[in-house]
Amino acid sequence: MALLTPLPFVTRVSAIEFDARSLNMPDEVEVIRGLRGVYFDTTSASFVDGEQGRLIYRGYNIHDLAENSTAEETFYLLMYGQLPTTSELAAFDKKLKGSREIPDEVISVIRLVQNAHPMDVLRTAISALAGTDPSADITDMSVEGSRDKGIRLTAQAPTIVAYHHRIRQGLEPIGPRADLSHAANFLHMLTGTEPTEDESGLMDTDFVLHAEHGANASAFSARVTAGTQADVHAAITAAIATLKGPSHGGAAEEVMKMAMEIGEESAAEKYVSDVLGSGGRIMGFGHRVYKAEDPRARHLRARCQKLGEERGDPKWFRILSRVAEAMEPYKARGIHVNVDFWAGSIYHLLGLPEDIFVSIFALGRIPGWTLQVTEQLDNNILIRPLLKYEGPEDMEYVPIHQR
Ligand code: ACO
């Protein structure tokens, strides 16, 4: 097994006991804003090699998994730590398929909040599922019990997203089909049409590529929540809330909006220079850890090109390619295309609405969040950093009628 090179960061803050009675902050405190480069624990789940642009799940290179594995097999690998045998995979698949239904109470919740953004609906429905989960004790924080709940959520979340999308259009939800794979079933519930092998293969690869990514903001949220011994539903609800923002999962939606605003490939260069010139950012570029190409992006790039040609709609690939060309000089600053850059146009070409793009990311990431939670629980510790106080002290309290 090859040894992994650790990221060249060191934790620079010395351990300091905070004394609430004295506001004297020790001089040696160095604040690491955004926890950039700080290691807070160890993991055997995944390795994001930002310098070389490598991503490894449980020792396996993402390129091998993207080309050879399936969502179900990758989810098993992540959650159980090793590739499954044929019978293990069959049992896991059966468990997923048997858990796809969501209870009527949760469908009512979806109807109630149907006008909200799909991520808000997903977050609310996952939270509501805590009230109907079949586990004997929802607060069971054992690794096994938590993994089981995570498997159920992995199976139920696509049903939530698909039901919501149909309900908000005034259509009847289409129930899950046990003869379809995780990816194909999702597309079928969403569109009412059985996807082709190519379409379900694309969604399947997308789930593989999004399944796990170390201590990103949403996984960190999940760990912080699990660290307090709150349950898996709470941790995944927190993770979904964190994924929503455009600096994290929301970028795919923003990329597609950008492509539409650009409109034609000849306008891409000017658009990029206008955005950058006014101090803005190009969505789908840059990453906190990757300072080389995001290894997930290349799989989606090739698929975006192929799908666009097959559909007779190569425009989006061409516009985005021109944006990428205009961003070439930024490579020298470590700003490269990230996974979200091509994902949005693929979803668009599959006929999916922009506002569910980030929910699709969440569906792929639930196995990763689950494993982050179980890993946290396996050797749990409350995650509780410090803030360096820079406010006033010795203020005199003045009663309200004297202010
Ligand atoms: N376009 C232009 N410039 C950029 C971009 C971008 N997309 N991303 C970073 N930069 C520049 C910043 O302006 C900054 O420049 P400065 O030093 O001159 O001020 C420098 O790069 C560093 O930027 P930070 O925000 O400090 O880097 P950080 O690591 O915190 O940000 C982030 C990472 C949030 C992803 C950022 O690159 C970004 O906003 N990208 C656009 C949104 C996006 O695509 N998000 C998806 C991320 S991938 C994912 O979550 C799956």
Side-chain angles (χ1 to χ4, degrees):
M1 193 188 298
L3 276 179
L4 302 172
T5 336
L7 290 170
F9 296 125
V10 285
T11 307
R12 280 156 287 179
V13 178
S14 49
I16 290 155
E17 274 301 308
F18 181 66
D19 181 354
R21 287 159 304 174
S22 140
L23 295 176
N24 295 328
M25 295 300 300
D27 290 341
E28 68 268 33
V29 166
E30 187 189 348
V31 174
I32 315 271
R33 294 199 65 233
L35 300 181
R36 190 187 290 272
V38 172
Y39 290 91
F40 72 96
D41 214 324
T42 59
T43 183
S44 61
S46 65
F47 177 58
V48 183
D49 181 345
E51 296 302 312
Q52 298 193 37
R54 273 192 311 160
L55 172 60
I56 287 164
Y57 292 172
R58 300 283 195 190
Y60 296 91
N61 194 300
I62 193 64
H63 299 312
D64 282 341
L65 295 171
E67 277 156 27
N68 303 309
S69 187
T70 61
E72 287 85 342
E73 186 184 59
T74 299
F75 293 172
Y76 184 100
L77 168 70
L78 289 170
M79 291 196 203
Y80 289 94
Q82 68 217 12
L83 283 171
T85 60
T86 308
S87 60
E88 285 167 342
L89 183 59
F92 181 67
D93 188 41
K94 195 171 167 204
K95 212 168 178 176
L96 281 173
K97 284 177 170 156
S99 308
R100 286 176 179 166
E101 299 278 359
I102 53 173
D104 288 344
E105 294 93 315
V106 175
I107 300 175
S108 303
V109 170
I110 295 173
R111 288 191 191 280
L112 211 61
V113 294
Q114 62 180 282
N115 293 327
H117 187 279
M119 276 297 267
D120 297 335
V121 175
L122 179 62
R123 192 192 64 227
T124 306
I126 294 277
S127 186
L129 277 171
T132 57
D133 191 81
S135 54
D137 175 9
I138 194 70
T139 61
D140 168 18
M141 292 304 283
S142 68
V143 167
E144 200 50 51
S146 300
R147 185 190 292 128
D148 267 356
K149 282 186 263 181
I151 293 170
R152 274 196 290 284
L153 289 178
T154 300
Q156 289 167 318
T159 313
I160 295 171
V161 174
Y163 276 22
H164 169 235
H165 184 52
R166 294 197 59 92
I167 287 170
R168 68 178 173 164
Q169 296 175 91
L171 300 170
E172 266 310 297
I174 295 171
R177 264 182 46 187
D179 60 325
L180 295 178
S181 71
H182 191 70
N185 173 60
F186 170 57
L187 289 174
H188 178 253
M189 289 189 299
L190 199 59
T191 62
T193 315
E194 197 172 320
T196 63
E197 254 180 54
D198 271 359
E199 288 167 345
S200 58
L202 258 172
M203 190 49 65
D204 187 86
T205 306
D206 186 81
F207 286 152
V208 169
L209 294 172
H210 281 95
E212 159 61 20
H213 212 237
N216 55 78
S218 54
F220 187 65
S221 264
R223 277 191 179 256
V224 169
T225 308
T228 69
Q229 297 186 44
D231 52 74
V232 172
H233 286 71
I236 292 186
T237 303
I240 293 170
T242 310
L243 183 70
K244 186 184 174 193
S247 294
H248 194 3
E253 183 177 338
E254 299 302 320
V255 170
M256 199 56 218
K257 284 185 190 155
M258 170 180 77
M260 287 173 169
E261 203 181 324
I262 294 173
E264 53 189 68
E265 57 182 296
S266 60
E269 204 170 321
K270 181 172 178 335
Y271 177 93
V272 170
S273 95
D274 286 352
V275 170
L276 296 175
S278 61
R281 290 178 181 210
I282 299 298
M283 291 291 122
F285 277 83
H287 197 275
R288 175 59 68 81
V289 182
Y290 290 123
K291 298 306 164 202
E293 187 201 47
D294 179 336
R296 302 166 295 178
R298 80 167 75 153
H299 297 278
L300 296 181
R301 180 186 187 280
R303 282 166 170 81
C304 172
Q305 182 170 23
K306 186 166 175 273
L307 189 65
E309 280 162 11
E310 279 169 8
R311 299 273 157 120
D313 193 6
K315 175 174 153 180
W316 307 114
F317 177 78
R318 288 186 188 151
I319 291 175
L320 292 178
S321 297
R322 291 289 284 272
V323 171
E325 273 166 38
M327 286 295 285
E328 282 280 322
Y330 275 69
K331 284 185 176 170
R333 293 177 53 189
I335 298 170
H336 296 254
V337 164
N338 64 46
V339 67
D340 279 335
F341 189 67
W342 302 105
S345 51
I346 288 179
Y347 304 149
H348 178 80
L349 287 164
L350 285 174
L352 309 179
E354 281 93 60
D355 66 351
I356 69 161
F357 291 1
V358 58
S359 309
I360 297 174
F361 185 158
L363 302 185
R365 186 53 62 81
I366 292 178
W369 290 329
T370 302
L371 102 85
Q372 294 278 343
V373 167
T374 52
E375 197 172 64
Q376 178 71 31
L377 295 177
D378 205 24
N379 185 16
N380 205 5
I381 183 168
L382 182 73
I383 301 172
R384 202 305 187 188
L386 298 172
L387 282 169
K388 184 178 181 187
Y389 182 70
E390 291 183 342
E393 55 179 294
D394 297 332
M395 296 285 285
E396 189 188 339
Y397 179 81
V398 180
I400 194 162
H401 59 276
Q402 291 174 18
R403 281 174 224 158

